Amino acid sequence: MSDVRPEPASFRDPATRIFYLDRRVLRGLDATAAQDWEQLAATRFFPKLMEEGGAVRTTTLDPADVPVEVAGQYAAVIEHERIPFISYPYEWTFAQLRDAAILHLEILLAALEEDVTMKDGYAFNVQWRGPDPVFIDIGSFERIAGGPWIGYRQFCQTFLYPLLLEAHLGVSFQRILMGHLDGLDPTEMRRIFSGRKKFKKGVFRHVYLHSIAESRVTQGGQAIKEDLKKSGFSKELTKATVTKLLKLVRKLHSKRADSGWKAYRETCSYSDEDRNAKERFLREAIDGTDVGLAWDLGCNDGIYSRIVAERGGYVVAVDSDDVTVDVLYRSLRQDGVTNILPLVMNLVDPSPARGWRGEERSAFTDRDQPDLVLALALVHHLAIAANVPLGQVVSWFRSFGGRLIVEFVEPHDPMAQRLLGNKPPGMFPDYRVDVFEKLLEEHFTIDHREALPSGSRTLFTCTPR
Amino acid sequence: MFAYLDANSGSLIASAIAAGFAGIAVVFKLGWSRTVAFFSPKHRRAAKEAMAAQSLATDADVAGDAT
């Protein structure tokens, strides 16, 4: 008998439950949810959406195929396609969050046309297949019952407000959203957008008036919903709300496009000869291997992620600079690359486990086991800029369990010099390639080693011991 | 129909307002007294006082529990 593992984040809506059976993703539905699913599957928009990739591909299991472990527990069981790597909105760039918001609203508009609505408006309902957003919460859909869209507040808090912070104030939302899984509430946002800032696009209506309404309307929500329905709040008005939101979200842009990292490739000091040697080394290292899941830690513009992705597999490309990752995301979409997922994350402080009992949103390093880890031009950032002892950097790499392709930048390299310039002299006596190599050998078998032509960088391919 | 999110009353009104003029018209139709409560300073003060009284009562309960 296989092991049925319930998804720890799937408990808020009691009507449906996600669970895993080996690598399969299944969802149990109660009688009402089963009926909603049947109606959803019979609509015109939903099968089309699945086919186009905008919603997670889902099939109903024949009662005879329901795994014995859960037989009789649900009115129906459906099976979802497996999302290659789970990520959360606090790891996405501005353009990713905006595209996810647009997808969510477009789906809602299409659903409303066929008298179906959505129970929520949560950014965590969207995942990614490479750089393409996918709506995953099939349990969100239900037959329309009149009155306004109940997910409006959640949409504001987890999609619109983070976007407004970046678009109007140039404040990156990722760390704020990581600390507030439900997003900022209207009153907090009103304090941030005080004075004349309240007149910026979308703020007066969705923040200021929203906050006023929140503080002044004290009657119970269900009663207000019924009253609004009786006063003539029709489906057309919900459509008007959603259409206006969609128009607003499409107009939001991040002005903070300029960043030191963006120019990194032009200004970076090492020669083209080094770059060519690095690309060749990487190609040789992965040639003839089954790439599987790869993590490119410190991906910068993603050039090495792309080389790995050309050989198949799925690459999670991570960098701490949100503007750099945003540029990568847009370029991947433009080029039609489908197997690289770009994420924003500070690798000295990677996403921790969050939410109820620390289980709802898993830590980045616990989500899956990579087959291959790239750490190119990363070690000096961890060891020098963030003072992480070299031994810990190497044991951290080992903890992932996959093969490692790593670059060591020696102290006399100009990029390392730049970082060392901020530190007291003599602070890192052990930051040397021979020490690093010895540490690697404690945890890995070194398959290849190559010094780059500039003489200040060395590459290693290693297999875990 | 069952909805698992709290129907936050203020947000429902806000989403109605977000629908534009037609939505605002519906909010007005909810009743004169509520519209007045939304816009008038006098009613705002009354609502604030009511909320303050409520929070004082809650604080007193908590203090009572602690002793």
Side-chain angles (χ1 to χ4, degrees):
Chain A
M1 193 179 267
S2 298
D3 190 20
V4 173
R5 286 170 300 117
E7 161 59 51
S10 173
F11 64 85
R12 295 206 191 263
D13 181 356
T16 86
R17 281 280 182 283
I18 289 276
F19 54 92
Y20 304 103
L21 191 69
D22 300 322
R23 300 283 285 180
R24 293 169 75 192
V25 185
L26 304 172
R27 188 192 286 265
L29 309 173
D30 72 6
T32 313
Q35 206 182 348
D36 284 336
W37 162 244
E38 229 171 79
Q39 284 171 347
L40 183 68
T43 58
R44 287 187 304 280
F45 83 94
F46 193 76
K48 191 165 163 254
L49 187 70
M50 279 203 291
E51 204 185 302
E52 290 167 355
V56 64
R57 291 181 191 103
T58 304
T59 48
T60 309
L61 287 191
D62 190 274
D65 296 335
V66 170
V68 284
E69 293 86 346
V70 294
Q73 292 180 30
Y74 301 102
V77 176
I78 57 182
E79 178 159 7
H80 297 306
E81 86 178 87
R82 192 177 175 84
I83 295 294
F85 190 82
I86 295 294
S87 64
Y88 303 122
Y90 47 78
E91 296 159 353
W92 305 344
T93 70
F94 177 85
Q96 280 179 295
L97 187 65
R98 192 187 54 194
D99 288 350
I102 290 170
L103 175 76
H104 202 304
L105 293 174
E106 282 178 344
I107 293 175
L108 178 55
L109 266 186
L112 287 169
E113 288 293 339
E114 295 186 59
D115 289 337
V116 173
T117 186
M118 287 159 112
K119 291 177 191 173
D120 50 18
Y122 202 26
F124 291 80
N125 287 345
V126 178
Q127 285 295 334
W128 299 85
R129 215 186 276 118
D132 302 313
V134 185
F135 188 84
I136 60 159
D137 192 7
I138 300 308
S140 281
F141 296 94
E142 64 180 1
R143 185 117 311 254
I144 206 161
W149 176 35
I150 197 117
Y152 169 74
R153 180 191 175 86
Q154 217 180 21
F155 183 89
C156 286
Q157 293 196 177
T158 61
F159 278 116
L160 182 63
Y161 294 170
L163 293 174
L164 290 176
L165 284 176
E166 172 64 53
H168 293 322
L169 305 179
V171 173
S172 56
F173 60 81
Q174 288 86 0
R175 270 164 286 186
I176 296 173
L177 209 48
M178 192 190 283
H180 301 253
L181 292 183
D182 292 331
L184 290 171
D185 68 38
T187 306
E188 286 169 315
M189 280 292 285
R190 184 176 155 200
R191 288 190 200 118
I192 292 170
F193 282 91
S194 58
R196 288 172 62 186
K197 290 199 282 281
K198 73 164 80 66
F199 299 109
K200 288 186 178 288
K201 201 188 300 272
V203 176
F204 189 78
R205 182 171 291 193
H206 299 287
V207 175
Y208 185 74
L209 286 181
H210 197 157
S211 160
I212 297 227
E214 185 177 67
S215 61
R216 309 244 172 97
V217 183
T218 49
Q219 199 181 356
Q222 290 300 344
I224 288 276
K225 193 175 179 193
E226 283 308 310
D227 286 357
L228 278 168
K229 210 158 69 177
K230 277 183 211 146
S231 305
F233 199 97
S234 62
K235 181 178 93 176
E236 294 310 314
L237 283 179
T238 304
K239 269 164 70 181
T241 307
V242 179
T243 308
K244 282 192 158 57
L245 270 174
L246 191 54
K247 207 169 147 193
L248 168 66
V249 169
R250 283 201 173 117
K251 276 188 188 154
L252 295 176
H253 287 278
S254 165
K255 294 179 203 103
R256 206 173 38 89
D258 198 17
S259 145
W261 274 96
K262 199 177 165 191
Y264 182 86
R265 271 184 82 187
E266 290 87 44
T267 57
C268 115
S269 64
Y270 64 88
S271 64
D272 279 346
E273 220 181 335
D274 267 16
R275 180 179 287 273
N276 292 340
K278 209 159 144 179
E279 290 182 22
R280 183 187 40 74
F281 184 89
L282 178 58
R283 286 204 162 90
E284 283 171 9
I286 58 173
D287 213 17
T289 63
D290 185 11
V291 173
L293 175 66
W295 288 357
D296 183 359
L297 305 179
C299 66
N300 195 24
D301 59 6
I303 180 159
Y304 305 110
S305 292
R306 284 172 184 260
I307 289 173
V308 173
E310 280 168 15
R311 304 288 163 108
Y314 194 79
V315 184
V316 180
V318 181
D319 202 285
S320 62
D321 188 275
D322 61 338
V323 173
T324 306
V325 181
D326 203 69
V327 171
L328 172 61
Y329 166 70
R330 286 168 208 228
S331 71
L332 292 172
R333 281 186 68 84
Q334 191 185 303
D335 301 343
V337 177
T338 55
N339 57 342
I340 300 178
L341 169 67
L343 296 178
V344 181
M345 202 179 303
N346 176 5
L347 289 167
V348 184
D349 180 19
S351 299
R354 294 279 293 115
W356 170 241
R357 298 179 79 171
E359 289 182 342
E360 261 185 281
R361 311 293 168 209
S362 53
F364 171 73
T365 48
D366 291 342
R367 282 176 222 165
D368 210 339
Q369 187 179 329
D371 303 293
L372 175 69
V373 176
L374 300 190
L376 302 172
L378 173 71
V379 173
H380 58 303
H381 288 281
L382 300 176
I384 300 175
N387 297 10
V388 180
L390 216 44
Q392 286 208 28
V393 173
V394 174
S395 69
W396 188 57
F397 290 152
R398 176 63 186 85
S399 70
F400 305 143
R403 281 178 83 210
L404 173 71
I405 298 176
V406 62
E407 177 179 23
F408 187 83
V409 177
E410 294 194 42
H412 63 273
D413 183 275
M415 298 308 274
Q417 280 293 317
R418 195 187 285 180
L419 297 177
L420 283 166
N422 299 326
K423 305 283 181 175
M427 194 174 165
F428 302 100
D430 292 335
Y431 185 81
R432 300 194 319 257
V433 70
D434 57 312
V435 175
F436 184 69
E437 191 166 342
K438 220 169 139 207
L439 289 166
L440 276 179
E441 277 171 340
E442 284 174 21
H443 299 276
F444 296 89
T445 306
I446 298 175
D447 303 321
H448 295 287
R449 177 191 197 282
E450 183 177 321
L452 292 181
S454 65
S456 61
R457 292 169 177 241
T458 310
L459 296 170
F460 300 89
T461 307
C462 323
T463 311
R465 276 187 194 278
Chain B
M1 188 64 70
F2 174 79
Y4 74 100
L5 287 184
D6 290 345
N8 183 290
S9 45
S11 295
L12 292 175
I13 297 285
S15 76
I17 292 170
F21 290 115
I24 294 168
V26 172
V27 174
F28 270 83
K29 265 166 93 183
L30 275 181
W32 182 243
S33 61
R34 285 195 199 154
T35 311
V36 167
F38 193 82
F39 292 105
S40 122
K42 188 179 141 200
H43 282 75
R44 257 186 260 164
R45 267 200 304 279
K48 233 181 212 170
E49 277 161 18
M51 274 176 81
Q54 204 180 352
S55 91
L56 268 178
T58 314
D59 290 348
D61 286 349
V62 172
D65 287 347
T67 48

